[in-house]
Amino acid sequence: CILSRGLGDVYKRQVLVLDQQFNRNSSVSLVNTNVLREGHFRDANVTAFLFDISDKENKYNIEGYYKMSNVYENSERNYGYTTNLRVGKTHGNIQYDVGYWHANDTYDISDLGFQRRNNYSNFRGDISYRIFEPTERFNSINVSMEVSLNYLSTGEYTGNQFEFRSYFTKKNRFSYGISLETNIGDQYDYYEPRVDGRYFKENGVFDIGPWFSTDFRKKFALEVRTGYSKKFKTDHKYYSLNISPRYRFSDKFSINYSLRFSKHDNEKAYVTDLDDESTIIFGNREFKTITNSISGKLSFNTKSALSLSFRHNWSPVTYDDQFFELNSEGT
């Protein structure tokens, strides 16, 4: 329980976790977070039940959760929930799983947690091939394919995704791989317009991302990741490059540096809305990001260490001088 004061208000934040492990590789948990503010300000409570169950041979697994949020504000109670169920095979060279994720449009954990978005209903399936014993040329191999179908929690179709990923590590610990991603048919973005019930209809995209890394056991190592994507039948392109050298001065002290550059050309995006949200304005923009970061780690022993990181991020956005109205059919 933490009692804190900020901007003249008193907060009481409580976190409770009950966890029971059993059958060597299985567990069930109950989590509750509670935020109480002094006076008639917003209060919030979130409760979650989680489970992760494997058989005794650890060959098959089922995991999931059910979480519910209750927000009390302006004498009203807003209830939301999210749920997930995933079943998979977790042994052998070929492994697979299928899963379902759902959250309604009122699920809210922002008082004591991080939440990117709610209002989704997604199906996903994954199959992979991997080795557990080194071969003549490779220490490890992992190749996988993933398929997903995405909807709003109310049933509206939003899109699909097909992804291929590969990971190879050779005997000399040189690693490399590639990811390929695409969509089929029109994709419907209900988040970018920022108005309930409106969507932006987009074409599918083709994305490719090769990468490599050298032997991390050596004093100097380098990791490089690249990316390129193109939306079908449009001039929207995306480029990215991430270079990460690292140097290990000793077994206790190391420094990592990372330079990341990415750029969107001719990206269509939200600008503002007019006339009480009935008119939504979009624009064509160039959006680039340059991130520099450096971090160091000093290990005193196996139980304690000191880490320090610095990061600078620059993300300028430039719109064209012509703007567009989003039509009711999403174009």
Side-chain angles (χ1 to χ4, degrees), residues 105-120:
D105 59 357
T106 54
Y107 178 65
D108 186 357
I109 60 171
S110 56
D111 291 86
L112 189 56
F114 175 75
Q115 176 178 321
R116 290 189 180 276
R117 60 179 52 174
N118 55 21
N119 192 17
Y120 56 82

Side-chain angles (χ1 to χ4, degrees), residues 79-225:
Y79 164 75
Y81 73 94
T82 181
T83 186
N84 159 244
L85 181 65
R86 189 195 67 84
V87 180
K89 174 177 176 285
T90 56
H91 80 289
N93 298 109
I94 298 178
Q95 301 184 16
Y96 53 83
D97 65 72
V98 292
Y100 173 66
W101 287 258
H102 179 93
N104 71 348
D105 59 357
T106 54
Y107 178 65
D108 186 357
I109 60 171
S110 56
D111 291 86
L112 189 56
F114 175 75
Q115 176 178 321
R116 290 189 180 276
R117 60 179 52 174
N118 55 21
N119 192 17
Y120 56 82
S121 186
N122 300 335
F123 301 85
R124 185 184 66 84
D126 183 281
I127 186 169
S128 64
Y129 172 81
R130 64 192 70 186
I131 64 171
F132 299 95
E133 297 292 336
T135 66
E136 184 177 347
R137 296 180 57 189
F138 295 100
N139 272 354
S140 64
I141 297 175
N142 191 336
V143 180
S144 64
M145 293 184 63
E146 180 180 317
V147 179
S148 64
L149 289 174
N150 306 320
Y151 300 83
L152 295 183
S153 62
T154 49
E156 291 85 354
Y157 173 74
T158 60
N160 59 72
Q161 181 175 314
F162 298 83
E163 185 174 0
F164 169 83
R165 299 181 299 269
S166 64
Y167 184 105
F168 301 90
T169 300
K170 301 183 70 174
K171 286 289 190 178
N172 61 0
R173 302 298 176 92
F174 180 82
S175 300
Y176 62 93
I178 192 171
S179 65
L180 301 171
E181 182 180 331
T182 191
N183 317 106
I184 296 178
D186 293 330
Q187 312 295 301
Y188 300 86
D189 188 342
Y190 281 83
Y191 301 98
E192 187 63 27
R194 323 289 173 87
V195 176
D196 289 342
R198 299 293 299 274
Y199 60 84
F200 175 42
K201 186 170 72 171
E202 299 184 275
N203 295 331
V205 64
F206 173 77
D207 182 278
I208 182 170
W211 63 273
F212 74 85
S213 64
T214 61
D215 188 354
F216 281 14
R217 298 174 303 175
K218 297 182 178 180
K219 286 187 174 293
F220 176 79
L222 176 67
E223 181 175 6
V224 177
R225 293 182 178 269

Side-chain angles (χ1 to χ4, degrees), residues 11 43 47 54 96 113 122 192 208 242 255 263 280 309 320:
Y11 303 79
D43 299 324
T47 301
S54 300
Y96 53 83
N122 300 335
E192 187 63 27
I208 182 170
N242 188 3
I255 290 182
K263 182 182 180 183
I280 302 173
S309 299
D320 294 345

Side-chain angles (χ1 to χ4, degrees), residues 293-320:
S293 61
I294 185 169
S295 62
K297 182 177 180 180
L298 177 63
S299 299
F300 301 107
N301 49 51
T302 57
K303 295 182 179 180
S304 61
L306 175 66
S307 297
L308 188 63
S309 299
F310 297 92
R311 180 176 179 269
H312 176 264
N313 185 77
W314 183 52
S315 298
V317 179
T318 305
Y319 279 89
D320 294 345

